[in-house]
Amino acid sequence: MLLTVGVPFGAVLAVLLAAAATVAAVAHLGRSREIVVAGVRAAAQLAAVSLVIGWVVRALPLLFGFVLLMYAVAVRTAGRRLTRNTTWWWAALPIAAAVFPVVAALLLTGLVPLKGIALVPVAGILIGGALTATVLAGRRALDELRQRRGEVEAGLALGLPERDARLEVARPAAADALLPGLDQTRTVGLVTLPGAFVGMLLGGASPLLAGAVQLFVLVALMAVQAVAVAVVLELVARGRLHRTGCDGPSDRH
């Protein structure tokens, strides 16, 4: 076993969480409370998932319901990271457009069997990747439009459609959301050995099979993240997703 769950395990986790929160506080990063809450929530949620996952995978309706629950939580999390107004629900579109076609293709081709033990982790990885890309791209795009509003107005003065003027400003910043996934894929095996690879090895798979699964996950993640970034950028450019009074279309200024 990689880890032995017991008192030492809990103690080390508590120390690491406290260290993360303390460093954030000392460096005035303003995220100490969020770090603690995130750690406690992760422990509670993983404990709950560990208890129910065996029950969920026994029936297709429960399986699909669990995947939809993961999707709903991702949408809510991404939306609230992007804006506090009612446009947050548009975050559902980039995550769905990125994840569901890929999952459907994997199921239809038989690469992923319609079994919970396979579908849940794959769907979770893809939804998590889409969530991260949506949040990073959306926040960067919205922040850039707020800071460089004058350049958008200059584009409008030159005759550019509002969508195009906003895209010219927001696109480079939003594209940076792809960098973490690109760097992970470029350095896999050299800098890091990601979770899918290690998990397959610990489960008894051959190194070749573990490498194939990890490659599949990384390529699928790049596809999912590219779609998520493209869609959320389009939503921001069209003003569907905005922060009230700051960076919506011109009629909201």
Side-chain angles (χ1 to χ4, degrees):
M1 294 179 62
L2 180 63
L3 289 173
T4 300
V5 178
V7 175
F9 174 79
V12 171
L13 279 183
V15 170
L16 289 174
L17 186 60
T22 301
V23 170
V26 171
H28 302 289
L29 302 180
R31 300 290 185 181
S32 298
R33 182 177 180 276
E34 289 185 48
I35 289 172
V36 174
V37 171
V40 173
R41 281 189 58 175
Q45 289 163 191
L46 286 173
V49 169
S50 299
L51 291 174
V52 304
I53 194 70
W55 174 62
V56 167
V57 300
R58 295 174 184 171
L60 282 181
L62 293 175
L63 174 58
F64 286 124
F66 191 76
V67 172
L68 289 175
L69 175 62
M70 290 193 293
Y71 167 69
V73 172
V75 169
R76 180 68 175 178
T77 302
R80 286 312 186 188
R81 283 293 185 188
L82 295 174
T83 181
R84 293 293 179 179
N85 62 38
T86 55
T87 66
W88 68 265
W89 66 269
W90 278 102
L93 187 56
I95 297 176
V99 172
F100 290 147
V102 174
V103 171
L106 296 176
L107 292 175
L108 290 174
T109 58
L111 288 176
V112 173
L114 193 54
K115 296 179 181 178
I117 200 65
L119 180 58
V120 168
V122 170
I125 290 171
L126 297 180
I127 292 172
L131 162 63
T132 301
T134 298
V135 170
L136 290 178
R139 286 176 67 90
R140 290 296 307 276
L142 291 169
D143 289 344
E144 201 76 355
L145 288 173
R146 172 184 290 173
Q147 296 167 8
R148 299 169 59 188
R149 186 165 53 187
E151 294 180 41
V152 175
E153 293 172 353
L156 295 174
L158 293 173
L160 286 177
E162 186 165 14
R163 168 188 172 274
D164 294 347
R166 291 161 63 84
L167 275 177
E168 288 298 317
V169 170
R171 183 185 286 116
D176 285 347
L178 297 174
L179 292 179
L182 289 172
D183 289 342
Q184 182 184 25
T185 303
R186 285 173 178 152
T187 61
V188 65
L190 299 175
V191 177
T192 61
L193 293 177
F197 182 84
V198 175
M200 291 286 291
L201 289 180
L202 292 175
S206 69
L208 181 61
L209 179 58
V213 171
Q214 185 61 67
L215 177 61
F216 159 76
V217 169
L218 290 173
V219 173
L221 269 175
M222 284 196 297
V224 163
Q225 291 174 342
V227 172
V229 169
V231 174
V232 76
L233 176 61
E234 189 67 27
L235 291 173
V236 170
R238 293 178 180 272
R240 300 291 187 269
L241 188 59
H242 64 85
R243 293 170 183 156
T244 302
C246 296
D247 47 35
S250 56
D251 60 354
R252 291 194 184 96
H253 289 319

